[in-house]
Every structure is written in structure tokens, then in C-alpha cells.
Amino acid sequence: MSNAPVDNGRRRFLTIATSVVGGVGAAGAAVPFIASWSPSERAKSAGAPVEVDISKLEPGQLIRVEWRGKPVWVVFRTPKMLEQMKVHEGQLRDPASDEPQQLDSAKNPYRSKRPEIFVAVGICTHLGCSPSFLQGGFGEKVEGTEDGFFCPCHGSKFDMAGRVFQSVPAPLNLEVPPYTFIDDTTIIIGEEEGVA
Ligand code: FES
């Protein structure tokens, strides 16, 4: 966990945070609600960064927020999810995130700044549908892997790092947006450390 001090001056725009889902695979599971508020319309239209409080996010949960009109996911991956990602590397199209779409922060085995916290734009790289989070139900799509994201439009499959599987229509991994941790439990989506 980062010990970076909170820079309140950077909290220019309040976030959204949103509903938290435990995954479609956990059908019928309770859908806890954390909070919901929005930046101003002016801030949104300007593409402002948004601040996300992940203090109540629990292992296995996913928060959806909106940034620049796009859905952005923040997922708390469990140790088991992280282990699974090693199993299917040979079935992925771009396992090391070599495609030039990637920010440097996505070029590591977990495609994230902290292994347990995954941040991605929740838009399929095929034709822009929104993939579903299949927690515990992804094994029907990829044997040996219980959790992942499945796009219902044309069947693209992505693992828990948003890495696309082979033999599906989506050409690229899910996009990782610019983001920065400003403290242990707060992320700014839309700002990347060291990138102007
Ligand atoms: S839009 Fe996702 S598979 Fe086509």
C-alpha cells in the first residue's frame, strides 16, 4: 500500500462512486451499495479526473464509475484470482501487453499499479459493448479459470487483468486508463503519475 500523503489540492473533482457488484456468476448475490454522487456537468464535459474512494471495496467486488462518459471498473482481485491469471497465459492474445495501446502502468503481469486493485475501461475492444463480470461463472467460457469478463455481444473473453483471449473478435486487451493512487484508499481516474 502506498504511503503517499493526501494532496487535498488535487481533489479538484469529486467522484462518483457507485454500485458495487459481486459478479454475475454469483447470481442473486447481494449487491451492496457504497455511495453515489456525481461531478458537475461542467466537470464531466471537460473530461475531469474523478476521485474514487475504495475504502469499502471488498475482495471480489467491482465498482463502476464514469470518466469522460466511459464506464471504468475498479476491481479488488482476490489472491485466487491473481493465481488463476498465470494458468491461462498461453491462451491469451497479448499476455504481456505489448500492443502500443497500453500505458506503462499496464505493462506488468497484473496490468495494474497494485496487484490486488485492477482499473480498466469497461468497454469491449471489439465494437464497444460492455462486458459482464463473471465471478465464479467464467469456467463455462474458459476451462480452469473461474473469474473473468465476458462480452455478450459477440463472445469476447477477457481475464481478470482485462487480457483478451485468443479466437474471439476483440483484437486488444481492455484499456487501462490513466490513474493515480493518492493514498491507500483513494484513486484519481484520469491522472497518471509522471505523465503531463
Ligand atoms: S462488442 Fe464485444 S465481442 Fe463484439
Side-chain angles (χ1 to χ4, degrees), residues 85-102:
M85 285 165 42
K86 300 172 186 168
V87 173
H88 53 241
E89 286 217 323
Q91 302 176 59
L92 301 173
R93 182 166 280 158
D94 182 18
S97 296
D98 290 326
E99 289 287 346
Q101 61 156 164
Q102 320 285 337

Side-chain angles (χ1 to χ4, degrees), residues 124 126-129 151 153-156 169:
C124 181
H126 181 219
L127 295 176
C129 289
C151 183
C153 290
H154 312 98
S156 289

Side-chain angles (χ1 to χ4, degrees), residues 145-162:
T145 297
E146 294 178 18
D147 311 300
F149 303 97
F150 177 71
C151 183
C153 290
H154 312 98
S156 289
K157 295 172 273 189
F158 305 87
D159 78 351
M160 287 304 298

Side-chain angles (χ1 to χ4, degrees), residues 78-162:
T78 63
K80 188 175 177 184
M81 289 173 175
L82 296 176
E83 276 304 305
Q84 283 177 33
M85 285 165 42
K86 300 172 186 168
V87 173
H88 53 241
E89 286 217 323
Q91 302 176 59
L92 301 173
R93 182 166 280 158
D94 182 18
S97 296
D98 290 326
E99 289 287 346
Q101 61 156 164
Q102 320 285 337
L103 291 168
D104 284 350
S105 58
K107 294 187 177 185
N108 62 66
Y110 301 112
R111 303 187 74 232
S112 62
K113 295 184 175 179
R114 294 185 193 170
E116 73 278 18
I117 301 296
F118 176 52
V119 181
V121 175
I123 296 177
C124 181
T125 56
H126 181 219
L127 295 176
C129 289
S130 183
S132 301
F133 177 26
L134 298 185
Q135 186 183 33
F138 197 64
E140 294 174 16
K141 315 294 180 192
V142 177
E143 194 177 340
T145 297
E146 294 178 18
D147 311 300
F149 303 97
F150 177 71
C151 183
C153 290
H154 312 98
S156 289
K157 295 172 273 189
F158 305 87
D159 78 351
M160 287 304 298

Side-chain angles (χ1 to χ4, degrees), residues 3-181:
N3 293 319
V6 178
D7 179 355
N8 288 320
R10 300 181 67 196
R11 296 186 173 185
R12 295 190 299 272
F13 305 101
L14 288 180
T15 317
I16 311 183
T18 62
S19 58
V20 175
V21 298
V24 171
V31 179
F33 181 78
I34 288 184
S36 181
W37 68 97
S38 299
S40 70
E41 287 306 314
R42 195 173 72 172
K44 278 201 264 187
S45 64
V50 293
E51 183 178 304
V52 184
D53 176 2
I54 61 169
S55 60
K56 294 184 174 61
L57 188 62
E58 295 181 1
Q61 288 188 325
L62 177 153
I63 296 176
R64 289 189 181 89
V65 302
E66 182 185 339
W67 170 67
R68 294 188 176 176
K70 304 176 189 175
V72 172
W73 300 332
V74 181
V75 187
F76 193 152
R77 294 178 292 204
T78 63
K80 188 175 177 184
M81 289 173 175
L82 296 176
E83 276 304 305
Q84 283 177 33
M85 285 165 42
K86 300 172 186 168
V87 173
H88 53 241
E89 286 217 323
Q91 302 176 59
L92 301 173
R93 182 166 280 158
D94 182 18
S97 296
D98 290 326
E99 289 287 346
Q101 61 156 164
Q102 320 285 337
L103 291 168
D104 284 350
S105 58
K107 294 187 177 185
N108 62 66
Y110 301 112
R111 303 187 74 232
S112 62
K113 295 184 175 179
R114 294 185 193 170
E116 73 278 18
I117 301 296
F118 176 52
V119 181
V121 175
I123 296 177
C124 181
T125 56
H126 181 219
L127 295 176
C129 289
S130 183
S132 301
F133 177 26
L134 298 185
Q135 186 183 33
F138 197 64
E140 294 174 16
K141 315 294 180 192
V142 177
E143 194 177 340
T145 297
E146 294 178 18
D147 311 300
F149 303 97
F150 177 71
C151 183
C153 290
H154 312 98
S156 289
K157 295 172 273 189
F158 305 87
D159 78 351
M160 287 304 298
R163 298 179 299 178
V164 67
F165 282 85
Q166 298 166 4
S167 306
V168 300
L172 297 169
N173 294 339
L174 297 179
E175 177 190 353
V176 173
Y179 68 96
T180 299
F181 282 92

